[in-house]
Amino acid sequence: MKTSRHYVSSALVLLTMIGGCTEPQVNLPYTELSAQLRQLNWFSSVSQSQVLPENDLAGLPFTELYLKKRHDLLQRADLSSFTEIAAQESQYLSIQQRYPERFLPWPVHINLPKVAQERGVSSSQLDTWYTYVESRLNEARESKIVLNRLERNQLLEHLTPEVTRQSQAAQQLAEYLESYRVRSSLGMYQLPNGKEWYQSKLNFYGGSVSAPESLFSKLQSVTNDTRDVMVQVNYKASDPLVHQLLAKCDKVAGLNWRDQFVSLRQTASQCDTKWNKGELQFAAVMMEVDLGVHYFAWSQKQALLALQSRLALNEDQAFVLLKNILFFPATSFVLLNQVTSA
């Protein structure tokens, strides 16, 4: 008995010593959290010049190592030192971790083979990641999380013949995607908890909690008067198009890599420049179609018809704008107040 107590006592002393030697987790102020999130999400920003260390898979999107590191960073945010909107953005990013995004490991708007080559990612790292993407998509299907056809096609566009010639893993992934069975509809509503996921985005970018039905009704009062709206924008699917509508505003830094580390909501709310009627109507149509495809089950045909008829777009422009709406849900709602008060 004496020996047993001796072992227990020794174990407690050892644990105390270990605990005393462990560095406590330090909460991160905004600038440090921002810097570390930018470093982790190097693949999302043209301004980043980071080169991944060999075998550092934490730097490739949505690997288990990446997800753990991102979660740990967000958990350590010192929200008491943040501005109100910055704290809301950090909390929004934490909430997004609950939803199916983590099962879709390739952010489809990013041409990762091209970016990785420019940043010096090794072929072995990429090959491991390509294999991971395929296995993760298989796991996702078991949970009824499935790419839509435009997402699948976008990934195949990134896997060019040049990429697949240089990598057997990329070739295998391309073959897998060629035979991949996409989900029947385009919008988020068809994913598990998809409507709740979309609502969380509407709440954040719109700046308040509003039912999609109510938002749709408000927007229709604007878009019903929209005829042949002409706005000069560069139609592309790789960046949130709302960035172009905010081009005349002073950008406010943010934490979200999907928004290019710009606080879209704060940028819009603090912008001194006024938007003209055409720009606001353009944004209103984007929001209406956004709600249509992601919440109200609009088909691709319905969405393209609305974009072409109300924004005087040709077929190619409407198609790219639809992809932008699919790849960056709800981001246009940062202009909701401007649109509904105009």
Side-chain angles (χ1 to χ4, degrees), residues 263-331:
S263 175
L264 297 177
R265 209 174 92 205
Q266 198 168 0
T267 297
S269 65
Q270 296 182 5
C271 189
D272 293 331
T273 308
K274 299 297 183 183
W275 285 272
N276 61 46
K277 183 178 180 181
E279 290 168 330
L280 293 176
Q281 287 181 327
F282 183 94
V285 172
M286 279 190 68
M287 292 180 221
E288 183 182 15
V289 175
D290 202 302
L291 286 166
V293 296
H294 287 300
Y295 194 85
F296 293 110
W298 282 13
S299 67
Q300 180 174 325
K301 184 177 180 179
Q302 283 177 284
L304 290 175
L305 179 61
L307 292 171
Q308 287 182 265
S309 63
R310 295 179 179 174
L311 297 180
L313 303 181
N314 62 40
E315 187 175 351
D316 289 341
Q317 290 172 325
F319 184 66
V320 175
L321 182 50
L322 174 59
K323 288 203 294 185
N324 199 283
I325 289 168
L326 292 174
F327 298 169
F328 304 101
T331 53

Side-chain angles (χ1 to χ4, degrees), residues 39 58 94 103 168 179 216 220 222 325 332:
Q39 184 177 26
S94 294
F103 288 102
Q168 185 177 358
S179 59
F216 193 77
Q220 281 197 310
V222 177
I325 289 168
S332 55

Side-chain angles (χ1 to χ4, degrees), residues 56 67-68 72 89 109 120 140 146 187 209 228-229 249 269-270 282:
D56 181 12
L67 292 171
K68 182 181 185 307
D72 290 345
E89 186 175 30
H109 66 285
V146 182
V209 179
D228 297 333
V229 173
C249 308
S269 65
Q270 296 182 5
F282 183 94

Side-chain angles (χ1 to χ4, degrees), residues 11-60:
L12 289 173
V13 170
L14 180 60
L15 286 171
T16 303
M17 291 173 62
I18 292 172
C21 295
T22 302
E23 287 290 331
Q25 286 280 323
V26 178
N27 285 342
L28 298 174
Y30 181 87
T31 52
E32 182 61 25
L33 178 63
S34 175
Q36 293 203 36
L37 286 174
R38 285 172 182 266
Q39 184 177 26
L40 179 64
N41 295 285
W42 60 271
F43 51 82
S44 67
S45 174
V46 294
S47 64
Q48 297 289 328
S49 58
Q50 174 182 348
V51 176
L52 283 186
E54 189 71 28
N55 300 320
D56 181 12
L57 292 179
L60 286 165

Side-chain angles (χ1 to χ4, degrees), residues 49-89:
S49 58
Q50 174 182 348
V51 176
L52 283 186
E54 189 71 28
N55 300 320
D56 181 12
L57 292 179
L60 286 165
F62 299 152
T63 60
E64 294 298 334
L65 289 170
Y66 167 93
L67 292 171
K68 182 181 185 307
K69 191 167 184 178
R70 184 181 66 177
H71 175 75
D72 290 345
L73 287 174
L74 293 172
Q75 286 292 105
R76 292 172 58 199
D78 181 13
L79 298 181
S80 65
S81 67
F82 287 23
T83 65
E84 181 180 358
I85 292 183
Q88 290 173 0
E89 186 175 30

Side-chain angles (χ1 to χ4, degrees), residues 89-318:
E89 186 175 30
S90 179
Q91 291 167 335
Y92 163 77
L93 293 175
S94 294
I95 290 170
Q96 295 306 293
Q97 297 179 106
R98 304 174 188 171
Y99 294 109
E101 180 186 59
R102 65 188 181 278
F103 288 102
L104 303 173
W106 188 337
V108 297
H109 66 285
I110 295 177
N111 186 343
L112 200 73
K114 182 174 182 286
V115 174
Q117 183 180 38
E118 292 171 351
R119 307 293 162 79
V121 177
S122 72
S123 58
S124 62
Q125 285 171 295
L126 262 185
D127 284 349
T128 300
W129 186 75
Y130 289 139
T131 303
Y132 173 76
V133 170
E134 181 177 338
S135 66
R136 195 65 162 160
L137 289 176
N138 274 326
E139 290 175 21
R141 187 178 294 280
E142 294 174 6
S143 300
K144 303 187 187 314
I145 301 168
V146 182
L147 296 169
N148 67 42
R149 61 182 172 276
L150 297 189
E151 292 168 335
R152 188 274 307 269
N153 292 345
Q154 189 68 47
L155 294 185
L156 283 170
E157 285 186 26
H158 298 325
L159 292 167
T160 63
E162 181 181 1
V163 170
T164 55
R165 276 197 303 269
Q166 296 174 357
S167 166
Q168 185 177 358
Q171 177 63 42
Q172 289 175 346
L173 178 58
E175 291 172 358
Y176 169 80
L177 289 170
E178 288 285 359
S179 59
Y180 182 91
R181 290 180 292 107
V182 298
R183 68 179 190 262
S184 59
S185 189
L186 298 177
M188 293 175 67
Y189 75 92
Q190 201 177 33
L191 294 167
N193 299 319
K195 285 196 171 184
E196 293 83 356
W197 189 11
Y198 183 58
Q199 182 73 63
S200 72
K201 291 180 178 292
L202 286 178
N203 296 347
F204 175 69
Y205 287 108
S208 63
V209 179
S210 299
E213 293 83 359
S214 172
L215 291 173
F216 193 77
S217 178
K218 287 180 182 179
L219 291 168
Q220 281 197 310
S221 66
V222 177
T223 58
N224 283 341
D225 294 330
T226 303
R227 295 291 183 273
D228 297 333
V229 173
M230 300 292 290
V231 176
Q232 295 299 315
V233 295
N234 178 18
Y235 293 94
K236 57 182 181 177
S238 57
D239 305 313
L241 193 140
V242 71
H243 273 285
Q244 295 184 47
L245 297 177
L246 297 174
K248 54 192 171 184
C249 308
D250 293 331
K251 298 293 191 299
V252 179
L255 299 172
N256 191 353
W257 63 268
R258 285 188 175 275
D259 297 335
Q260 298 181 347
F261 294 104
V262 172
S263 175
L264 297 177
R265 209 174 92 205
Q266 198 168 0
T267 297
S269 65
Q270 296 182 5
C271 189
D272 293 331
T273 308
K274 299 297 183 183
W275 285 272
N276 61 46
K277 183 178 180 181
E279 290 168 330
L280 293 176
Q281 287 181 327
F282 183 94
V285 172
M286 279 190 68
M287 292 180 221
E288 183 182 15
V289 175
D290 202 302
L291 286 166
V293 296
H294 287 300
Y295 194 85
F296 293 110
W298 282 13
S299 67
Q300 180 174 325
K301 184 177 180 179
Q302 283 177 284
L304 290 175
L305 179 61
L307 292 171
Q308 287 182 265
S309 63
R310 295 179 179 174
L311 297 180
L313 303 181
N314 62 40
E315 187 175 351
D316 289 341
Q317 290 172 325

